Amino acid sequence: MLLYYRLTSRHEEQVKYYLIFALAALTSGVFFGAFGVLVNSSDNLFYLSISNRVTVITAMFTIVLSLHFYIAFFQYKAPIFLQYCYVICGAFSLLAIVPNQYFLNHAFYSTSKYYTGLEYGPVFQLWGVWILVLAAYCIFILVRVFNRQRVRQENSNTNTVLLLLVANVVWVITGLCDTFTGIQVVDLPPLSWVGSFLVTSCIAWVLVLHIDDLYEERRLLSNRLMYDYLTQAFSRSYLEIRLTEAVNLMLRGELNWLSVCVFDIDDFKKVNDQYGHANGDELLTKITTITKENIRQSDCIARLGGDEFVILFANKQDENYAPTAVERIRKGISNTDFGKAGCSFNTSCSFGIVSVTSEQLALSNENRVKSAPNAQSTQSAIKVQELANQMLSSADDALYSAKNKGKNAVSIGTFSG
């Protein structure tokens, strides 16, 4: 139940089958407890009567809830029969509660040498048939689902269904053994609890695998949003988050220096035209690798789009760190041979850097707030975003200055906030 609550309320997952499984597991737990009391109450009619009736009721609903789970989990069209299953089980439950000669009487009945039950009537025999019908219908549903998954060639789901199918067959066999023991055809120890435990455990295991798949898909989606698909640099949206966080840290005085570098590849269009887009893509990937090798793990390289990149230096540093690191990157790129499939060429990049201290950023923010005296807290957040955008804009201006110097250069600009 706690798992269902967390998935629905905190992660907004539409997982109705987790609630169904929680109810099935609870019912199954009650069944195991009652069955244990039943087996060990051969000399106490009061405990025997209560445990036997609880066992009868919970056995029915464990099967029905398991059936309901299969239908919900595998998105099988729920038949009308399912509604009637709950109604019929409810009717049998009412009969089981009150001692009577037609269902279960309040008197000992030596079921086998292993345990003692209650005297039963013809309606109880009908209940036994109903239990077998329910179990057989579970197997029927699983066979239908198995065939559907096999046609769709969903191997992982097919294996899951096969596991549940085997568990349910074992459940039916153990149920038949207990039924034949009850009517004194054979004399076997109680076995249906083994089948019930096996089915519940298999369903729990299936849910664990499903949760793993669910969050693996979420992780892959998160990675696609966080990283650029080609270069594996961070995405533009992630850069905006990191830059905004860094500006907030600066304004709170937790960071004393912030540097942003914008760079692009000189004459990248000529590279694509002369050597092909495959070599152009390879160039973008290698430049990302060279950049990562020359910055700290705490720094951030992101691809804005095309051949334009941004490096965010947002850790404790001095004013010389960013220019020194960028100069290493520039030399590394210009001294590297690029190309594949028999092609070899050299290229260069131009860089624009802007750095700002926490005092400069705080002063700029104060000036912006003074210009809008009626600003609310939401507008304050907008001011932080504007500061982040202004840093990118200032670094971009410095990049164009490097281009005007003749390319393959580093230009240091000033923050115009």
Side-chain angles (χ1 to χ4, degrees):
M1 293 295 287
L2 180 61
L3 175 63
Y4 171 76
Y5 168 74
R6 291 181 64 86
L7 287 171
T8 52
S9 64
R10 299 196 178 183
H11 301 285
E12 297 182 354
E13 299 290 352
Q14 299 302 314
V15 283
K16 174 184 175 183
Y17 37 82
Y18 283 96
L19 176 61
I20 298 172
F21 169 72
L23 294 174
L26 177 63
T27 307
S28 183
V30 175
F31 168 78
F32 294 142
F35 201 88
V37 174
L38 169 65
V39 172
N40 294 283
S41 300
S42 57
D43 57 348
N44 191 313
L45 184 58
F46 177 74
Y47 288 137
L48 178 66
S49 179
I50 293 177
S51 59
N52 203 334
R53 296 175 200 283
V54 172
T55 301
V56 166
I57 295 171
T58 53
M60 284 188 299
F61 281 103
T62 299
I63 299 175
V64 173
L65 287 167
S66 298
L67 172 61
H68 198 166
F69 172 83
Y70 301 146
I71 291 171
F73 183 79
F74 293 109
Q75 298 177 351
Y76 189 85
K77 186 178 179 181
I80 270 267
F81 179 66
L82 181 62
Q83 300 176 11
Y84 292 118
C85 287
Y86 283 106
V87 174
I88 296 172
C89 287
F92 275 122
S93 298
L94 292 175
L95 287 170
I97 291 173
V98 181
N100 60 86
Q101 59 181 340
Y102 302 103
F103 197 78
L104 286 175
N105 209 343
H106 193 67
F108 285 117
Y109 176 77
S110 182
T111 305
S112 73
K113 66 180 181 181
Y114 298 98
Y115 62 97
T116 301
L118 296 174
E119 284 186 358
Y120 61 87
V123 180
F124 182 79
Q125 293 177 317
L126 186 61
W127 171 84
V129 174
W130 170 242
I131 288 291
L132 294 178
V133 169
L134 281 178
Y137 192 65
C138 283
I139 294 175
F140 170 76
I141 292 294
L142 287 172
V143 169
R144 294 288 299 271
V145 171
F146 177 78
N147 289 332
R148 185 189 68 182
Q149 306 300 85
R150 190 174 56 179
V151 169
R152 295 178 180 178
Q153 297 182 338
E154 298 177 359
N155 292 331
S156 59
N157 285 340
T158 301
N159 294 335
T160 298
V161 179
L162 190 59
L163 174 66
L164 291 172
L165 192 56
V166 171
N168 276 268
V169 169
V170 172
W171 197 6
V172 170
I173 292 173
T174 56
L176 282 172
C177 290
D178 279 3
T179 300
F180 290 142
T181 299
I183 59 177
Q184 297 184 335
V185 174
V186 294
D187 195 5
L188 297 171
L191 296 172
S192 59
W193 68 271
V194 176
S196 179
F197 178 78
L198 182 62
V199 168
T200 304
S201 300
C202 286
I203 292 176
W205 177 244
V206 167
L207 286 179
V208 168
L209 295 178
H210 180 68
I211 291 172
D212 287 345
D213 291 342
L214 192 67
Y215 284 96
E216 178 64 17
E217 291 174 6
R218 184 69 58 83
R219 186 188 65 81
L220 292 175
L221 177 60
S222 177
N223 283 347
R224 284 196 291 268
L225 294 174
M226 184 180 293
Y227 295 98
D228 174 63
Y229 74 99
L230 176 63
T231 63
Q232 291 305 298
F234 287 116
S235 66
R236 180 170 189 153
S237 58
Y238 181 74
L239 169 72
E240 291 173 352
I241 294 172
R242 286 284 300 270
L243 182 54
T244 301
E245 287 178 350
V247 171
N248 274 315
L249 289 173
M250 292 281 285
L251 294 176
R252 293 200 298 265
E254 298 178 28
L255 199 63
N256 59 354
W257 196 274
L258 177 63
S259 299
V260 172
C261 172
V262 177
F263 73 95
D264 66 8
I265 302 171
D266 297 328
D267 303 314
F268 182 63
K269 185 177 183 303
K270 290 183 181 179
V271 173
N272 275 333
D273 292 342
Q274 185 172 353
Y275 301 104
H277 288 281
N279 276 298
D281 291 346
E282 179 73 11
L283 174 60
L284 293 170
T285 303
K286 280 193 173 182
I287 285 178
T288 302
T289 302
I290 292 171
T291 304
K292 288 180 177 179
E293 289 171 351
N294 287 279
I295 60 177
R296 302 166 299 189
Q297 287 188 346
S298 58
D299 300 327
C300 168
I301 176 174
R303 184 185 177 195
L304 286 186
D307 64 320
E308 193 170 21
F309 294 84
V310 174
I311 308 173
L312 176 64
F313 301 96
N315 206 336
K316 296 186 181 299
Q317 58 187 354
D318 57 43
E319 58 183 318
N320 296 318
Y321 173 74
T324 302
V326 170
E327 180 61 23
R328 286 199 308 268
I329 295 168
R330 185 194 67 77
K331 289 181 179 179
I333 293 171
S334 61
N335 294 331
T336 300
D337 293 327
F338 298 95
K340 64 179 185 177
C343 296
S344 180
F345 60 90
N346 296 101
T347 191
S348 63
C349 291
S350 297
F351 301 80
I353 305 173
V354 64
S355 299
V356 64
T357 64
S358 56
E359 292 80 7
Q360 289 174 316
L361 204 61
L363 180 61
S364 176
N365 188 53
E366 286 176 9
N367 292 334
R368 290 172 182 271
V369 172
K370 287 178 182 178
S371 66
N374 296 323
Q376 302 295 320
S377 59
T378 53
Q379 290 177 311
S380 178
I382 294 173
K383 298 302 179 186
V384 171
Q385 185 63 50
E386 287 178 358
L387 288 171
N389 291 337
Q390 189 58 47
M391 287 206 69
L392 283 174
S393 179
S394 298
D396 204 41
D397 292 340
L399 168 62
Y400 281 104
S401 176
K403 294 284 188 184
N404 293 331
K405 290 179 181 178
K407 303 176 183 179
N408 191 24
V410 178
S411 177
I412 299 177
T414 57
F415 175 64
S416 56

